[in-house]
Amino acid sequence: MADNTITDIQAFSSVSDYFKDPHQWTYRCEGAWTMVVSLNKLRTVLRLRKHEKNNSLKQLNDQGKYEQEMLRNLDFAKSVMLPLMRGRYVHLGRAISVPEDFTLAMNEICRESRPEHRLNKEIDEGCHAGVLMPDLCFLPSLPQAASTEENYIYAMKTMNSTFSVEIKPKCGFLPTSPFIDPTRSIKYSVCSYCMLQKTKVKEGKHIRESSYCPLDLFSGEPRRVMYALKCLVSDPQNNFRVFCDGTGMFSEELAQRAIQKGSACCSQNYFEITLQEMKVFTESATAPGHKCGDGITTECQKSGDMDGVTTEGQREDGVTKESDIHGDSVTREYHNCCGVGPLTQIFLEILLRILISDSKTNQIHQNQVSMSSTDTVCKKSKFCDCNNGIQSQLNCLQFGNGGVLQQLLSVQKLDDNDVEGIYPLYKNVINHFECNPGLRNSLGVDGPYTLPLWKTVASSLESNSSKTPDNIWLLNADLNDPNNLYDAVVKICKFAVASTAKDCSLMVAFQKTLNKETRLLTVEMACGDTYHYNIDLVDLDPKEFDRVGKYFKDTVKTVEIFLEQE
């Protein structure tokens, strides 16, 4: 915890110099309660707290609480997620003081770049701290480099753009818990992400259901993983973003803006046009323009199933009224695009080969959970309908038994009882806490994450980790027995950690190189091109112990809406 205390601004003198000129910083991205701004000159990003507009009094009172929460989050990443990911993929940030006039200026600077649906909140000008991290849109500094100058010289020698992809994978497995209510047995065959799509469309968050299924991405089968990546391009939502040298070049917002302006017919078309205009991969592709269905033709495309992509709201004649999407009276033709273009195909193959290389570079022990097998397929995935024609050359590729997807799936599977098994246990524990004031704090349920409880959770994937009793036994156990209480709390904490792993993001950065740098990870393409790459996880904040109740209500609602509309 000591490493994460609020650092005096002078310790980051090079960064603090740029606080004096906020225009050196640019908007990068944001979530519900945080915004990230970047300083490209130092390849650094700063994560700042947001608050609701016109509620400054409440936020002023919450300032101390937020700074404690920020330090707790850093402690969680270091003490829990880093060990669970076997010391890889988790880059620890540092707390830094931020001057008030800087946050005030950043609200003005970022406003034009922000998504419209996020404008109800802004950076909290009363919060004087943020989290500083290296910019994961770039390759890391060279390990054991003699100086920052050596890194700078190496970067200048390549002069190639660095691409980075942010993927929010979501939950990669189907539950097997015996505690799921029979009326919700659909959860055994349809994954939570695919089920939730109907809720998101019904509530107007998205205009159509996504074709992406997380089980395909986590499958460990190259053709399924490629199919998942194509689906992410087709329906990026908030699960897929692409940056070039730190600047956003593809996202749901950018694609929809281009479609509305008439400069692209769909998100696949927009991504292909963007790559074409950047003149990348052109030496490897001969088809300069986008045509609906360009690239690999699948059997389901031939039969008119559009690569398995479901386009909710499109009429049979292929014409969608813009009023159906944007609420006005304009009518515009939208293409029923069936696939990705040739440049996009190359881009996704680089990404696929990086994930395969990573799975072989970072092996894990044989006792870890395996990737989803081919017979573990979500019933909403269209992969099985489309797999006959998807790049037969991918058959020669094979994932290893490690890597970021494998390890992340292992952490997700710490939820081995589903929320329906955890919820009754959680209610019993909360009732016990209410009858025994102070017990919750003494156990350290809400941190700090260096306490024995969290050390037990952080070592859950070790081979010698002890198994805790089944929930059925714990529900009837006497929680006045410290051992029984400890086992129950560990189960709930493991569920919370699994929830973080289901909601984090994967950052993959890569750059073409002519001269291999042995201190950086490298992948070679079939055509002979070589790329340096790096993989990290972000958005690793802990999920509150008390969110179990919300998760239970959400799963009940999600299943109800899914069954109503199915």
Side-chain angles (χ1 to χ4, degrees):
M1 186 82 173
D3 290 343
N4 291 329
T5 53
I6 294 288
T7 307
D8 188 276
I9 197 168
Q10 295 305 316
F12 289 97
S13 57
S14 58
V15 173
S16 65
D17 289 342
Y18 289 95
F19 284 150
K20 300 170 186 175
D21 184 6
H23 289 279
Q24 296 286 338
W25 297 76
T26 57
Y27 172 84
R28 172 60 59 76
C29 61
E30 62 186 294
W33 290 103
T34 58
M35 188 186 301
V36 177
V37 296
S38 63
L39 179 61
N40 272 10
K41 284 189 176 181
L42 295 184
R43 297 190 174 180
T44 296
V45 295
L46 180 65
R47 187 184 188 193
L48 298 167
R49 177 73 171 180
K50 296 194 305 185
H51 71 148
E52 294 177 352
K53 290 183 178 180
N54 304 320
N55 200 8
S56 56
L57 180 60
K58 179 180 184 302
Q59 297 303 321
L60 184 63
N61 294 333
D62 286 350
Q63 180 180 332
K65 179 181 177 182
Y66 164 65
E67 292 187 358
Q68 291 178 359
E69 176 188 321
M70 180 179 64
L71 296 178
R72 223 172 24 243
N73 293 349
L74 293 171
D75 183 25
F76 176 78
K78 177 182 178 180
S79 302
V80 180
M81 293 306 300
L82 188 63
L84 285 171
M85 293 302 297
R86 298 191 173 276
R88 307 183 187 104
Y89 311 113
V90 179
H91 207 113
L92 302 175
R94 298 187 68 179
I96 181 173
S97 300
V98 178
E100 183 176 355
D101 56 350
F102 174 78
T103 56
L104 179 65
M106 289 314 300
N107 271 326
E108 296 299 322
I109 291 169
C110 294
R111 187 166 288 117
E112 291 300 318
S113 302
R114 299 179 60 198
E116 188 174 348
H117 70 280
R118 297 288 193 187
L119 295 179
N120 62 317
K121 296 174 187 172
E122 59 185 11
I123 299 172
D124 186 352
E125 296 162 9
C127 188
H128 303 148
V131 176
L132 193 71
M133 288 189 67
D135 192 341
L136 300 177
C137 283
F138 296 93
L139 295 175
S141 299
L142 294 176
Q144 299 147 3
S147 66
T148 54
E149 183 178 358
E150 183 181 343
N151 280 294
Y152 177 77
I153 292 173
Y154 175 76
M156 293 303 293
K157 277 168 58 179
T158 64
M159 297 302 290
N160 290 321
S161 296
T162 301
F163 293 95
S164 55
V165 180
E166 178 184 357
I167 301 174
K168 190 179 282 290
K170 307 305 284 187
C171 182
F173 68 98
L174 293 172
T176 57
S177 168
F179 305 110
I180 293 175
D181 190 281
T183 63
R184 291 184 285 273
S185 61
I186 189 68
K187 291 168 68 173
Y188 292 124
S189 56
V190 179
C191 77
S192 57
Y193 179 86
C194 289
M195 264 197 284
L196 188 59
Q197 288 298 304
K198 291 191 181 297
T199 300
K200 289 186 174 182
V201 171
K202 180 179 180 179
E203 294 177 349
K205 294 179 180 178
H206 297 292
I207 61 174
R208 72 181 195 186
E209 295 177 31
S210 172
S211 54
Y212 166 69
C213 177
L215 270 68
D216 293 330
L217 184 69
F218 282 96
S219 67
E221 182 185 342
R223 293 195 305 164
R224 276 183 74 183
V225 176
M226 175 60 87
Y227 178 73
L229 296 175
K230 288 183 177 182
C231 289
L232 285 168
V233 173
S234 173
D235 297 291
Q237 294 191 359
N238 67 335
N239 298 93
F240 192 78
R241 294 186 181 94
V242 181
F243 304 86
C244 179
D245 292 331
T247 300
M249 57 174 279
F250 179 76
S251 66
E252 174 80 8
E253 294 82 10
L254 292 173
Q256 288 303 315
R257 198 176 303 164
I259 292 170
Q260 291 178 39
K261 288 167 56 179
S263 57
C265 63
C266 62
S267 62
Q268 300 103 308
N269 182 203
Y270 173 71
F271 194 33
E272 184 72 11
I273 290 171
T274 302
L275 292 172
Q276 186 180 10
E277 290 176 346
M278 296 175 67
K279 294 180 169 54
V280 293
F281 316 129
T282 51
E283 68 279 7
S284 303
T286 56
H290 169 86
K291 297 178 183 178
C292 298
D294 253 357
I296 301 302
T297 303
T298 65
E299 291 300 317
C300 66
Q301 286 177 29
K302 294 174 183 176
S303 62
D305 198 27
M306 295 183 299
D307 200 18
V309 178
T310 303
T311 50
E312 298 288 335
Q314 289 188 331
R315 305 205 315 244
E316 290 183 1
D317 58 8
V319 178
T320 302
K321 285 185 178 180
E322 194 165 350
S323 58
D324 294 339
I325 300 176
H326 304 294
D328 58 30
S329 58
V330 180
T331 300
R332 188 191 305 276
E333 287 192 3
Y334 280 80
H335 288 273
N336 289 338
C337 293
C338 303
V340 300
L343 299 179
T344 304
Q345 187 75 38
I346 295 169
F347 185 95
L348 295 182
E349 187 176 343
I350 295 169
L351 186 56
L352 173 66
R353 287 179 180 266
I354 286 173
L355 293 174
I356 292 174
S357 173
D358 170 63
S359 73
K360 295 176 180 178
T361 302
N362 294 315
Q363 306 283 340
I364 62 177
H365 296 312
Q366 294 296 324
N367 65 337
Q368 296 296 290
V369 301
S370 61
M371 301 281 269
S372 303
S373 61
T374 53
D375 57 356
T376 308
V377 178
C378 170
K379 285 189 176 179
K380 291 298 290 182
S381 171
K382 297 295 191 301
F383 170 76
C384 291
D385 300 331
C386 305
N387 64 2
N388 291 333
I390 298 178
Q391 282 191 295
S392 59
Q393 65 264 36
L394 295 182
N395 289 335
C396 65
L397 301 179
Q398 186 175 0
F399 275 84
N401 70 334
V404 65
L405 291 176
Q406 171 83 315
Q407 195 65 21
L408 188 61
L409 186 64
S410 296
V411 180
Q412 291 184 357
K413 287 189 172 182
L414 290 178
D415 170 20
D416 54 0
N417 290 292
D418 191 77
V419 67
E420 297 199 41
I422 288 295
Y423 182 57
L425 185 64
Y426 164 79
K427 289 196 297 183
N428 281 2
V429 169
I430 289 298
N431 289 336
H432 186 72
F433 283 162
E434 289 175 352
C435 296
N436 296 272
L439 186 56
R440 177 173 179 147
N441 287 340
S442 64
L443 279 171
V445 165
D446 307 299
Y449 297 100
T450 51
L451 291 176
L453 169 68
W454 290 101
K455 287 183 178 179
T456 299
V457 175
S459 62
S460 297
L461 297 180
E462 299 299 325
S463 58
N464 59 354
S465 179
S466 59
K467 302 293 183 182
T468 53
D470 291 337
N471 278 12
I472 292 177
W473 184 85
L474 280 175
L475 281 172
N476 299 317
D478 180 9
L479 294 184
N480 288 305
D481 183 328
N483 292 327
N484 294 343
L485 177 63
Y486 188 80
D487 287 339
V489 171
V490 165
K491 276 192 172 291
I492 300 168
C493 290
K494 285 168 66 176
F495 172 82
V497 170
S499 300
T500 293
K502 294 175 187 178
D503 204 37
C504 69
S505 291
L506 185 69
M507 292 293 298
V508 182
F510 60 91
Q511 181 187 54
K512 187 176 179 179
T513 182
L514 296 177
N515 302 306
K516 289 185 182 180
E517 169 53 59
T518 57
R519 291 172 288 181
L520 293 173
L521 294 168
T522 305
V523 64
E524 187 170 335
M525 303 299 293
C527 63
D529 290 344
T530 302
Y531 293 85
H532 288 313
Y533 72 89
N534 182 66
I535 301 176
D536 277 293
L537 294 174
V538 294
D539 298 334
L540 294 173
D541 293 345
K543 303 297 184 183
E544 297 90 342
F545 191 84
D546 295 311
R547 289 187 78 169
V548 174
K550 178 183 183 302
Y551 288 141
F552 179 76
K553 291 179 182 177
D554 287 347
T555 195
V556 171
K557 175 185 174 183
T558 297
V559 173
E560 284 179 354
I561 292 176
F562 180 82
L563 293 176
E564 284 173 3
Q565 299 187 22
E566 190 64 5

